[in-house]
Amino acid sequence: MKCFQCSCRGVTIATVIAAALCLALSVQSKEEEFMPNQPDAIPTFLIIGIAKGGTTDLFVQLTAGIVNLDPDRPDPPFPIKPIKELAYLSRPGIDGIQLLPQKRQYMEYLQLLGHPCSGDTERSLLQECFVTNATKHYTLDATPMYVFSAVVPLYLRALSGSSKIIMMIREPVERTESLFRHFVLTAGRWLDRSIDDLATDFFKAISTEKGVVTALQRAADCSYGDVACLANSWRDILGFKLMNSQENKVFAAGLYRYALAVWRYHYFRPGRVLVVDSHVFFKRRVDAMEKIIRFMYGRPMLPSEETLAASGEVIRKIVVQPMPKTILSPPLRKQLSEFYEQHVMRGLFRMLSDMRDEGAWVYGFSGEPWNECPGFGEFNAAGKSKL
């Protein structure tokens, strides 16, 4: 796979030195510690992204009958037919008040998750059910829509503060082309347009809508460790008109560093967050699933889980050769790479380092396409020193 050269080689020496110093000054990282799954976690596990990062395949790896119904499985199973991309908490009309226990949306969410207590509407019965039955089934919500919301982490915190979160990260330019191709071939969107057309309109929207350039620059100027600044900047960016367009969201969805700041600020807890390198998941799924299983259940893989992970290629919603209209031209690829360089890649490894120090599990990011980005060597050296 080609390295992400445009975004990383163009970084100034000052930026590289600054990133290295920041990483060198990081506090001692916490060891990866398994945190027991909590009966009141709603849901037990949450996969929040990223679109075209392997989330569909991961969902299947966790819920397929061969592993979910394995008689040797020591953990509670998931519902027989869990819903992929439920996205309930990001639906229009969701009300934080209605997500309180016994309220309508709270009970509806339990039902959609297949939670064993979804039928107990009285408070006393619901509390009793959580004590006696909640661990009979684990629940799983998986959608890439959640990671970019400024309010879903708040809703989730009101529901429960102990869900475990998995986030998958893919090189943003490659992910953008893959997502565009997905919309064209599976949803029939933009059949008369190229990805260059959408990219041109995206940059035009940034330059013409009042306040957008300033908001993006404010986010880029946040210090590496100022999570509140990054989170508030993302909240402000989401309020602009350009973010109402699905076409623009194809590109804005690559702003991982800002979007994850909201989750870090409002929800993430030590030992309950796992960030996975999508490229490693695609290439070495068995190794990646070993880490994911340990994070989720605190045990080694079962033979059934290893067999499933080793069988076939990573599931994709579409498997086709890229078409010319779905590949960025060199000038627009360079422009988009520079955009992501400023807003994502310069601070990516400092973000991962800080999250690891905060108690998050991190897997991958030790090779291409990240190996020429600021802080890559320091991040991986620090990780090896703690093994």
Side-chain angles (χ1 to χ4, degrees):
M1 178 172 54
K2 188 175 181 180
C3 299
F4 189 37
Q5 295 176 346
C6 293
S7 288
C8 300
R9 285 187 173 174
V11 178
T12 64
I13 294 177
T15 302
V16 174
I17 295 174
L21 287 173
C22 286
L23 286 167
L25 294 173
S26 295
V27 298
Q28 178 71 21
S29 175
K30 299 178 181 178
E31 298 296 329
E32 291 180 342
E33 178 183 359
F34 172 74
M35 300 298 290
N37 298 309
Q38 299 300 308
D40 62 346
I42 304 173
T44 317
F45 306 105
L46 193 65
I47 303 171
I48 62 173
I50 180 75
K52 311 313 298 176
T55 57
T56 297
D57 188 87
L58 176 57
F59 182 84
V60 172
Q61 291 292 317
L62 297 173
T63 61
I66 186 176
V67 299
N68 196 38
L69 302 179
D70 186 344
D72 294 327
R73 177 186 173 99
D75 320 287
F78 293 106
I80 300 300
K81 293 183 179 181
I83 302 173
K84 170 69 167 62
E85 298 194 20
L86 177 60
Y88 182 81
L89 299 178
S90 59
R91 294 180 184 180
I94 291 296
D95 182 351
I97 298 297
Q98 290 297 319
L99 284 173
L100 295 174
Q102 285 79 49
K103 296 291 187 178
R104 178 179 59 82
Q105 292 179 352
Y106 178 93
M107 301 307 299
E108 187 173 51
Y109 188 46
L110 288 187
Q111 184 177 17
L112 291 171
L113 287 171
H115 196 284
C117 299
S118 59
D120 294 313
T121 56
E122 295 184 16
R123 186 174 188 83
S124 59
L125 293 177
L126 186 63
Q127 291 176 335
E128 181 180 344
C129 180
F130 270 102
V131 171
T132 59
N133 295 317
T135 55
K136 290 184 178 180
H137 287 279
Y138 281 156
T139 52
L140 173 65
D141 193 355
T143 174
M145 297 178 65
Y146 284 164
V147 69
F148 302 106
S149 172
V151 295
V152 168
L154 299 174
Y155 292 153
L156 192 63
R157 191 173 68 179
L159 285 167
S160 161
S162 52
S163 298
K164 286 186 177 178
I165 310 292
I166 300 174
M167 172 69 184
M168 307 179 82
I169 293 182
R170 184 176 180 181
E171 185 275 303
V173 174
E174 178 183 294
R175 183 215 59 85
T176 298
E177 290 179 327
S178 179
L179 185 58
F180 176 79
R181 192 155 54 246
H182 164 78
F183 276 115
V184 170
L185 297 180
T186 67
R189 298 286 299 273
W190 312 315
L191 296 178
D192 59 343
R193 307 192 70 194
S194 69
I195 191 171
D196 275 10
D197 295 333
L198 267 64
T200 300
D201 290 347
F202 173 66
F203 287 115
K204 181 179 180 181
I206 289 176
S207 62
T208 57
E209 185 175 353
K210 185 177 180 180
V212 174
V213 172
T214 300
L216 283 168
Q217 188 60 54
R218 187 183 303 118
D221 290 341
C222 290
S223 64
Y224 286 116
D226 194 344
V227 180
C229 177
L230 292 166
N232 290 335
S233 296
W234 181 243
R235 176 203 61 198
D236 295 342
I237 292 168
L238 288 174
F240 286 105
K241 182 179 177 181
L242 89 160
M243 296 299 288
N244 297 332
S245 160
Q246 184 63 61
E247 290 86 343
N248 291 335
K249 288 179 181 178
V250 169
F251 302 93
L255 298 174
Y256 316 136
R257 192 163 66 94
Y258 303 156
L260 272 176
V262 178
W263 285 85
R264 291 174 63 195
Y265 188 71
H266 291 294
Y267 192 80
F268 285 171
R269 299 293 182 270
R272 297 193 178 276
V273 183
L274 169 62
V275 183
V276 179
D277 178 352
S278 294
H279 303 276
V280 176
F281 184 84
F282 294 154
K283 291 181 176 180
R284 304 199 311 271
R285 185 170 58 186
V286 173
D287 295 338
M289 286 305 303
E290 171 71 25
K291 172 72 76 170
I292 292 168
I293 293 299
R294 287 189 179 277
F295 166 75
M296 294 176 66
Y297 308 130
R299 59 168 174 79
M301 294 178 77
L302 299 175
S304 60
E305 292 166 336
E306 186 170 356
T307 298
L308 179 62
S311 62
E313 297 183 354
V314 173
I315 296 173
R316 308 288 181 90
K317 291 184 179 179
I318 52 172
V319 182
V320 296
Q321 292 297 319
M323 301 177 296
K325 65 175 291 184
T326 68
I327 301 175
L328 289 159
S329 63
L332 280 166
R333 176 178 294 275
K334 181 176 184 294
Q335 186 177 5
L336 188 61
S337 295
E338 291 173 348
F339 175 78
Y340 287 139
E341 172 195 318
Q342 178 184 15
H343 296 290
V344 182
M345 306 308 291
R346 287 182 182 176
L348 176 67
F349 279 98
R350 177 56 198 260
M351 178 193 76
L352 293 174
S353 178
D354 285 348
M355 290 182 68
R356 189 168 61 188
D357 290 338
E358 294 161 5
W361 293 43
V362 180
Y363 181 72
F365 305 98
S366 58
E368 294 184 357
W370 318 108
N371 54 318
E372 295 184 25
C373 298
F376 169 85
E378 294 81 3
F379 172 81
N380 283 282
K384 290 179 181 178
S385 70
K386 297 174 179 66
L387 295 178

